[in-house]
Amino acid sequence: MAEKKQNHLPEPAVNSISVDSQSQRTNHNHLPNFLLSVRLKYVKLGYHYLITHAMYLLLTPLLGVVSLHLSTLTFEDLLQLWNLLKFNLVSVILCSALMVFLVTLSYMTRPRKVYLLDFACYKPEQARMCTREVFMERSRLAGAFTEENLAFQKKILERSGLGQKTYFPEAVLRVPPNPCMAEARKEAEMVMFGAIDQLLAKTGVKPKDIGIVIVNCSLFNPTPSLSAMVVNHYKLRGNILSYNLGGMGCSAGLISIDLAKQLLQVQPNSYALVVSMENITLNWYFGNNRSMLVSNCLFRMGGAAVLLSNRSSDRRRSKYQLIHTVRTHKGADDRCYGCVFQEEDETKRVGVALSKDLMAVAGEALKANITTLGPLVLPMSEQLLFFATLVGRKIFKMKIKPYIPDFKLAFQHFCIHAGGRAVLDELEKNLELTDWHMEPSRMTLNRFGNTSSSSLWYELAYTEAKGRVRKGDRTWQIAFGSGFKCNSAVWRALKTIDPAKEKNPWMDEIHEFPVHVPKESPIVSSN
């Protein structure tokens, strides 16, 4: 018995030693990789710093030589220079006149600067709040969906990233639903006028001072138009430049910003009002085509109003300056054109069908857009790496991965259209962004859902409410839309935003965010 105990006792000790030694070997194997990644990180940072400050590093010795040479000049040398200029008076005058002409020409032909005075996002009243359980209950009571498609919507909603406080219009939540033109107009007025009232109160600008008004709403286009509705309600002046953009999808907000920028180049001392929204009342799908049911689960009520100015006197009180807008349109490709398509299903019910190619098409559009945007915003260090990789792959046929520029070196904040969880995951991966950079988009999707073209402004409002915006920071807004389009806007902060002085839809509850959003959040059925 003793021998058996002696033979049996050492086994756990031997096993523990072998496990410890194995774990030590594993740790030793991982340690060099970690150190290598750290070294590579600092090598890249050093490279970036060197290229960014290369001009200063090269000019410093040159300035030293020039300063040394100037220090040797005597009074006689200066007198000789003056006599030389005096005897060549005609040449001096001509050169001076040419210089003044060129400076004046440059000043007159440069683009007008466009400033964003402020913006406002509409926050619906408490009665319009719709939990996911209420959404499923109303969908069931509508009587239009099969049990299989109710289960399908539930599955989509559980994985969508939407929270419990999104908003729906009254006509959709009512039992039975009442989607009609009058209710759709009521929703449009509530959203547009709610956002514009807040904006005018923030900026102190009088409606009569507004020279341009642009309203974008993709799926609701009544007559008179939504822009005419704004003109009538606020009694805007008779020579107002009014535009109503329809059918342009979730990226229409940035198209409106670009249009306003172009108009402000030719309309001196003007204000441009941009209103971005979507209408749910007449566009909730009551059929059983699954490609059309996805939009029911994602789109929610919301809107935003933005006030732009080209007045130089407004710079001091503006929040941002518009630096770049880049628009990419892939509509020439049939696959891109048809990936988000409004049509009738087999029962003649109208809905928006989302193709399975949507993510691939969005990736292609994003690639084309950032190819144009990159040279405008990326530091020279990133452009050189991208160019070197491209030459290696295309000319020397080297088997290396395409270099993805680090856009975190160009922007401090990212506002990516909260179209859905899959879109945000894909962009986070492709652009190598962190959870901190994705937080405004994910929290907007969770709190307000997909509010279409206005989602970018809810995201910027979140960033401001968190006190993250500092003077000089650059923000990249990027959105996707039907057609298929990918549009970008780059803003530079003109001042540090103090959240204590802000009034936006996040302020009453910003302390609750960020919240954890699980990959799948089960919906508790009332049955």
Side-chain angles (χ1 to χ4, degrees):
M1 293 291 292
E3 290 179 359
K4 289 182 180 180
K5 288 181 180 179
Q6 288 175 358
N7 292 335
H8 193 67
L9 284 173
E11 291 181 4
V14 171
N15 290 337
S16 63
I17 292 172
S18 63
V19 170
D20 289 343
S21 62
Q22 185 179 359
S23 63
Q24 289 174 3
R25 286 196 300 270
T26 303
N27 290 336
H28 285 307
N29 289 337
H30 284 291
L31 189 58
N33 293 333
F34 171 74
L35 292 175
L36 180 61
S37 63
V38 171
R39 289 174 182 172
L40 288 175
K41 176 183 176 181
Y42 282 106
V43 166
K44 185 173 181 181
L45 287 174
Y47 161 77
H48 171 67
Y49 183 85
L50 178 65
I51 298 298
T52 303
H53 299 87
M55 183 171 292
Y56 300 105
L57 296 174
L58 292 173
L59 287 178
T60 299
L62 181 61
L63 288 175
V65 172
V66 172
S67 301
L68 183 63
H69 180 70
L70 291 176
S71 64
T72 61
L73 292 178
T74 64
F75 179 76
E76 288 76 12
D77 295 328
L78 296 175
L79 186 61
Q80 184 179 359
L81 178 62
W82 168 251
N83 290 329
L84 182 64
L85 293 175
K86 186 167 60 175
F87 290 121
N88 292 276
L89 184 61
V90 176
S91 300
V92 172
I93 292 175
L94 289 176
C95 289
S96 300
L98 180 61
M99 186 178 298
V100 171
F101 173 77
L102 292 176
V103 170
T104 304
L105 183 64
S106 175
Y107 179 80
M108 296 296 292
T109 57
R110 68 177 183 176
R112 298 179 188 271
K113 294 181 180 179
V114 176
Y115 304 109
L116 189 157
L117 269 72
D118 214 327
F119 65 96
C121 300
Y122 177 66
K123 187 175 184 179
E125 58 187 6
Q126 190 77 10
R128 302 283 75 78
M129 192 172 289
C130 176
T131 65
R132 295 178 303 154
E133 288 76 16
V134 169
F135 174 87
M136 290 306 305
E137 178 189 354
R138 296 296 189 272
S139 297
R140 187 177 298 277
L141 293 176
F145 308 110
T146 64
E147 287 298 323
E148 292 79 8
N149 282 329
L150 285 169
F152 172 75
Q153 290 184 77
K154 180 181 177 183
K155 184 177 179 181
I156 293 293
L157 200 56
E158 288 175 338
R159 301 178 181 180
S160 65
L162 272 69
Q164 295 285 60
K165 295 183 178 181
T166 59
Y167 301 96
F168 256 107
E170 181 183 2
V172 176
L173 291 178
R174 190 179 299 162
V175 180
N178 183 32
C180 62
M181 179 62 75
E183 290 291 341
R185 285 184 179 274
K186 181 180 177 180
E187 179 193 348
E189 291 174 355
M190 188 184 306
V191 173
M192 288 196 305
F193 301 159
I196 295 173
D197 287 346
Q198 293 178 42
L199 180 63
L200 295 179
K202 279 183 174 184
T203 60
V205 173
K206 297 177 182 178
K208 290 289 185 181
D209 292 334
I210 297 173
I212 301 166
V213 60
I214 302 170
V215 179
N216 66 267
C217 182
S218 188
L219 297 176
F220 180 55
N221 293 286
T223 299
S225 66
L226 296 175
S227 60
M229 196 183 296
V230 173
V231 172
N232 174 260
H233 182 80
Y234 292 97
K235 308 305 177 186
L236 302 183
R237 63 198 199 197
N239 64 344
I240 189 84
L241 298 180
S242 173
Y243 296 85
N244 197 91
L245 307 183
M248 306 196 78
C250 299
S251 68
L254 295 185
I255 294 175
S256 299
I257 294 294
D258 181 71
L259 175 59
K261 182 186 77 170
Q262 303 299 334
L263 293 171
L264 287 172
Q265 297 305 309
V266 295
Q267 298 292 325
N269 298 318
S270 295
Y271 288 113
L273 173 65
V274 175
V275 182
S276 297
M277 61 167 290
E278 193 50 84
N279 193 284
I280 305 296
T281 300
L282 281 181
N283 295 290
W284 207 49
Y285 175 62
F286 288 95
N288 284 283
N289 185 320
R290 291 195 173 184
S291 66
M292 298 180 177
L293 283 171
V294 176
S295 59
N296 280 10
C297 302
L298 297 178
F299 283 91
R300 295 295 185 266
M301 187 178 177
V306 182
L307 191 63
L308 303 175
S309 171
N310 60 5
R311 301 184 181 189
S312 56
S313 59
D314 284 328
R315 188 184 192 281
R316 293 182 60 186
R317 67 190 189 110
S318 296
K319 283 185 172 181
Y320 304 93
Q321 180 181 342
L322 181 59
I323 306 301
H324 301 292
T325 54
V326 175
R327 294 170 55 179
T328 302
H329 204 306
K330 304 286 288 184
D333 186 308
D334 291 341
R335 185 172 67 108
C336 298
Y337 173 74
C339 69
V340 180
F341 209 86
Q342 186 180 28
E343 58 186 351
E344 294 175 331
D345 65 9
E346 57 277 4
T347 62
K348 302 301 179 182
R349 291 185 173 93
V350 177
V352 177
L354 304 181
S355 168
K356 293 180 180 179
D357 295 330
L358 179 59
M359 293 305 299
V361 167
E364 293 173 9
L366 173 65
K367 181 180 178 182
N369 189 268
I370 65 177
T371 300
T372 304
L373 180 67
L376 300 176
V377 298
L378 286 170
M380 186 58 65
S381 57
E382 289 298 295
Q383 296 189 46
L384 288 176
L385 286 174
F386 178 79
F387 179 74
T389 307
L390 184 65
V391 169
R393 295 178 67 247
K394 299 296 184 181
I395 298 180
F396 298 103
K397 306 300 180 182
M398 298 172 63
K399 295 182 179 180
I400 54 177
K401 294 181 179 179
Y403 181 72
I404 301 175
D406 187 358
F407 281 92
K408 297 188 293 296
L409 296 173
F411 305 108
Q412 285 72 40
H413 311 288
F414 295 80
C415 295
I416 300 169
H417 168 53
R421 184 174 208 144
V423 175
L424 297 181
D425 288 345
E426 196 66 22
L427 263 71
E428 179 180 9
K429 177 183 175 183
N430 289 337
L431 297 177
E432 298 181 353
L433 302 179
T434 65
D435 291 339
W436 188 88
H437 292 114
M438 297 299 299
E439 187 180 308
S441 299
R442 293 196 186 281
M443 294 306 103
T444 296
L445 181 63
N446 178 267
R447 178 62 181 85
F448 293 98
N450 181 349
T451 60
S452 189
S453 56
S454 64
S455 68
L456 299 173
W457 301 106
Y458 286 91
E459 294 164 18
L460 186 56
Y462 179 91
T463 306
E464 291 185 353
K466 279 293 184 180
R468 296 178 178 179
V469 180
R470 298 287 182 266
K471 183 178 180 179
D473 283 0
R474 292 204 292 182
T475 299
W476 181 16
Q477 290 182 322
I478 183 166
F480 303 90
S482 57
F484 190 84
K485 298 178 285 292
C486 177
N487 301 316
S488 292
V490 179
W491 305 88
R492 184 174 67 236
L494 298 177
K495 59 184 177 182
T496 298
I497 307 299
D498 183 2
K501 298 179 181 179
E502 286 301 307
K503 293 181 180 180
N504 71 44
W506 295 95
M507 294 312 302
D508 295 338
E509 51 191 289
I510 191 62
H511 60 280
E512 301 174 8
F513 293 90
V515 297
H516 173 65
V517 182
K519 293 292 184 183
E520 184 172 350
S521 181
I523 297 175
V524 180
S525 177
S526 58
N527 294 337

